[in-house]
Amino acid sequence: MATTVTGDLRTQAAHAHAEPTGLWSWITTVDHKRIGILYGASAFMFFLIGGLEALLLRIQLGRPDNTFLSPDAYNQLFTMHGTTMIFLAVMPLSAMFFNFFIPLLIGARDVAFPRLNAFSYWVFILGGLFLNASFLFHAAPNAGWFGYANLTSTQYSPGLNIDFWMIGLQILGIASLAAAVNFFVTVLNLRAPGMKLMRMPMFVWMSFITQALLLLAFPVITVALILLMFDRFFGTHFYVPSAGGDPILWQHLFWIFGHPEVYILILPAFGIVSEVLPVFSRKPLFGYAAMVFSGAFIAFLGFGVWSHHMFSTGMGPIADTVFSLSTMLIAIPTGVKIFNWIGTIWGGSIQLKTPMYFALGFIAMFIMGGLSGVMHASPPADLQQTDTYFIVAHFHYVLFGGSIFALTSGAYYWWPKMFGRMLDEKIGKIHFWLMLIGFNLTFFPMHFAGLLGMPRRVYTYSAETGLTWLNQLETVGALVLFLAIAAFLYNILKAWAGPRNAPADPWNGATLEWAIPSPPQPFNFAEIPVVHSRDPLWELKRERGGPLPEPARVSGAGIHMPNPSFWPALTACGVAAMLIGVMLLPKLGPWGIIAGGALLLFGVFNWAFEPA
Amino acid sequence: MADTAHAAHVGAHLETHSETSTGLDSRKLAIWTFIGSECLFFASLIGTYLVYRGRSLVGPFPHEEWVSPAGVHFEPILEIKLVTVGTALLLFSSLFVVLALNGAQRGRRGQLLTWLGMTILCGMFFIGMQVYEFTHFVHKGLTIKTNLFGASFFTLTGFHGTHVTIGVIWLITVFILALRRKLPPEKALNLEIAALYWHFVDVVWVVIFPVVYLMK
């Protein structure tokens, strides 16, 4: 058929595949790989900001009765640290991998809705920038990432701080939902021939389950935030006890979202290590089906445990028992996963490369976080631990020791594919050891500080508490973590300055992305592959009796790819403007909302009627 | 491995999706996915309404009379008869949009335009009814600030009304396309997706109507 393609189409295709450069090409791109890089770069920037915030907090706590930060600045920094790391760092870093690798792993040329994908990114970045713009007004959110009512009421938080927080989260929620619809459909509908559901790489499976969680969890916080918005802007009393409202309603709605949210943060990480461990053990993933179903089971149970965040509200023995048991139940599918990872490396021919270091570090750290999690699944234990540093230790072991270690593993693993450059192994291992030591130095003592009664979210402590040396250890740990991230940055810059030296398949990979050049061409696959097994590339290499030849870069003439479009970015501006218009009601009246809405409609209609 | 022809073919359908792994059109799958997500949105709003039912400290109340401390008498505020008519029309509109879709799929332009027009009129009547109801309530002394009933009622039905409004705008867009002969049978899916959304908005009202208006 290639020979029958008209000359006109050929020039069009050649034009489309010339890898355009320049700012405009990035604003209008609908290529899932470029959008993935945009997500990754933005998320890494926010990760650095969030890390800097944490460093300031640790400096403040480095000695008793410190005055480095004011209580108010401390509140703003811990709130922004949590909000940033969850919504602007870990989630979009996962989104980077969804974007770049889901289509590659399932053998597709792009996502189901490329323009919607661009829209998600632009809404995300506008939301992230808006949230951080609060610093310019000295009004960063200051009520914690969970924003408990009625601390967030106009009575107790009259400033702009909470407005920035709720509008920012509302904008980010729209980005997540749009992306979730897109990836849910992509995984179901764009798989290459032969890629049955039970042949999908584990990262795709875990990402797929994550999209389902996003779809079902985000509408709930959307409603919770709408009610808060109405309380603050329109004088309703949803969370105001004096008018009969119930602040606990916020907690229920927030945690019905919030608990699935922690699985949204960790399931992609599970997926990444499930790709890395088999490749560097030279063994297929152990217990594939059990891994799929335990992931689905974790997600399912994740919707039935939210009240374990609320034991201290006094829900009564029945609710406490139910939520305690359902929480402990989650340890079972999680344990299945851990044993399967260990089963995967058991007896394997282990290649100790940097991605493997981080994946192994992930297993160890995540187990520790998981164990402390089971501890406070028990209400009597939780009542002692809640609101102390023990909790802070726990969730950093699962989010940093879990998610961040796995995401870093994924970064080292997939860097050559994304940029065509290898990251340095030696610096990578220095990065790993600094991170492992710094991480444990920072967060392990928090278990003890917490059990000794040190409360969270308090800007200082007195020397008489005897907590000084633990806190000093933690602060030293934070500085080591700073060095670890510096090592990573140096590694990135060094690779950037270096030549494009990465082969298509540097790790002897098992999945489809390693069959195409590094970095991939805009259309990914010159020919859509046909899949016969779970590890299609290993199968191919076995059949050939050796490594595959380096794939050639081809012209791709005749492959129709979607055209770049400006409308997603413009529509995203409309969405953000509309929501920010709500915040500006006292200043602009309804005109901000109307202008944003008009921009949104203009964008949507041009988008809908744009020739594909 | 597929040949280049097949590869080119798959690429050509990235945005039009006539060939997918599940055999379902991606846009249709997407709207179902979105509807699944929206269920949780309305479940949260309805849940909030139910949690606060009967917990308002001051009136006016939905189903009971109330005498204010100043001695002013308030009748039960809901206008069940009017809303029943609106509900019936909204439910009929679901049937109408099915007839319109049938017309679109068979290329019967008259049938398509008639029933799509009827659907839009029903939707507009429903919005009109809600606007009347809201202003009527405000005149009778119930605003979103008055009490928990006002807050949860206006929020729940208001967001439903917003969904109806978006649906009407969407259907009008499709109507204009049909009017300009840009909705041939092979593009009937454009209407089907809008219709799926429309049915969902109706089904949500089927839950809201008894919960808010009939349950005492």
Side-chain angles (χ1 to χ4, degrees), chain B residues 31-91:
Chain B
I31 196 77
W32 276 111
T33 309
F34 174 70
I35 286 171
S37 183
E38 285 267 277
C39 285
L40 270 286
F41 179 83
F42 280 106
S44 306
L45 285 174
I46 293 168
T48 303
Y49 181 86
L50 285 172
V51 164
Y52 284 154
R53 215 162 58 94
R55 285 175 60 171
S56 295
L57 300 183
V58 294
F61 298 128
H63 302 288
E64 303 88 26
E65 296 177 2
W66 182 62
V67 181
S68 77
V72 186
H73 184 86
F74 289 92
E75 292 289 317
I77 202 160
L78 293 177
E79 298 273 349
I80 296 175
K81 279 179 194 157
L82 172 72
V83 182
T84 307
V85 175
T87 306
L89 284 176
L90 197 62
L91 290 184

Side-chain angles (χ1 to χ4, degrees), chain A residues 109 189 191 215 237-238 246, chain B residues 7 21-22 24 26 37 52 145:
Chain A
R109 292 227 163 96
N189 255 359
R191 283 165 287 137
L215 288 165
H237 304 101
F238 284 109
D246 194 345
Chain B
S21 312
T22 57
L24 287 169
S26 286
S37 183
Y52 284 154
K145 297 179 191 178

Side-chain angles (χ1 to χ4, degrees), chain A residues 64-65 461-468:
Chain A
D65 300 311
Y461 54 93
S462 79
E464 295 144 35
T465 55
L467 294 164
T468 310

Side-chain angles (χ1 to χ4, degrees), chain B residues 38 44 95 100 104 114 118:
Chain B
E38 285 267 277
S44 306
L95 172 66
T114 310
M118 288 293 286

Side-chain angles (χ1 to χ4, degrees), chain B residues 2-191:
Chain B
D3 57 16
T4 7
H6 180 68
H9 187 63
V10 173
H13 288 276
L14 262 174
E15 284 229 346
T16 49
H17 313 294
S18 60
E19 228 176 64
T20 61
S21 312
T22 57
L24 287 169
D25 184 273
S26 286
R27 285 179 299 159
K28 205 164 159 181
L29 199 54
I31 196 77
W32 276 111
T33 309
F34 174 70
I35 286 171
S37 183
E38 285 267 277
C39 285
L40 270 286
F41 179 83
F42 280 106
S44 306
L45 285 174
I46 293 168
T48 303
Y49 181 86
L50 285 172
V51 164
Y52 284 154
R53 215 162 58 94
R55 285 175 60 171
S56 295
L57 300 183
V58 294
F61 298 128
H63 302 288
E64 303 88 26
E65 296 177 2
W66 182 62
V67 181
S68 77
V72 186
H73 184 86
F74 289 92
E75 292 289 317
I77 202 160
L78 293 177
E79 298 273 349
I80 296 175
K81 279 179 194 157
L82 172 72
V83 182
T84 307
V85 175
T87 306
L89 284 176
L90 197 62
L91 290 184
F92 273 115
S93 78
S94 257
L95 172 66
F96 297 161
V97 83
V98 169
L99 294 173
L101 178 62
N102 182 274
Q105 284 163 341
R106 292 165 178 235
R108 294 180 185 163
R109 195 158 165 271
Q111 183 189 341
L112 163 61
L113 288 174
T114 310
W115 293 113
L116 192 54
M118 288 293 286
T119 313
I120 292 166
L121 284 179
C122 287
M124 285 169 130
F125 179 87
F126 185 87
I127 298 167
M129 174 212 83
Q130 207 169 36
V131 170
Y132 168 79
E133 187 192 28
F134 280 20
T135 43
H136 183 62
F137 281 8
V138 171
H139 287 308
K140 279 173 113 182
L142 181 79
T143 70
I144 199 167
K145 297 179 191 178
T146 311
N147 54 18
L148 286 175
F149 167 69
S152 51
F153 170 83
F154 282 114
T155 308
L156 171 58
T157 56
F159 270 100
H160 179 266
T162 311
H163 278 73
V164 175
T165 311
I166 292 168
V168 166
I169 294 173
W170 193 349
L171 291 174
I172 290 175
T173 312
V174 179
F175 186 83
I176 293 171
L177 281 180
L179 212 56
R180 292 164 65 190
R181 297 178 189 278
K182 285 184 176 172
L183 200 71
E186 62 271 19
K187 285 191 175 174
L189 192 73
N190 285 336
L191 175 57

